Amino acid sequence: MLPEYFEALNTDFRYQLTPIGRASQVLYIAEEIENNRFRIAGGRPGGKVSWQVTGIRQDAFANAHRIPVEVEKVGEERG
């Protein structure tokens, strides 16, 4: 279960799954985040999975102070 604030403060979720112990080609997200939970499926019975979920912050501070994705170079910086 994710922290109570996670879904409220983030959007556009990204999931990263890594099987532990041996490779698994059938590991996948069976259910996306809803009510601060998501479900992993596939893999082998009893297998371990390392997971990471990230999202784009959508709280008031983040929305007011977005980091520019790319800044145009000017003058001598170009080239």
Side-chain angles (χ1 to χ4, degrees):
M1 183 167 188
L2 299 166
E4 290 182 21
Y5 60 83
F6 190 83
E7 194 172 2
L9 294 182
N10 295 285
T11 187
D12 297 328
F13 303 113
R14 306 290 195 289
Y15 306 86
Q16 181 178 338
L17 305 176
T18 304
I20 298 174
R22 73 176 197 200
S24 175
Q25 296 178 346
V26 294
L27 200 57
Y28 63 98
I29 300 297
E31 294 177 16
E32 294 187 54
I33 295 175
E34 186 173 325
N35 297 319
N36 295 309
R37 293 177 179 260
F38 69 101
R39 193 166 69 87
I40 300 170
R44 67 183 192 281
K48 290 184 177 183
V49 178
S50 173
W51 58 268
Q52 178 179 7
V53 178
T54 59
I56 297 174
R57 283 179 52 186
Q58 62 177 1
D59 58 275
F61 181 85
N63 288 335
H65 300 91
R66 289 282 169 215
I67 298 171
V69 175
E70 188 173 320
V71 177
E72 288 290 325
K73 293 181 179 180
V74 294
E76 293 179 1
E77 294 178 349
R78 296 185 78 146

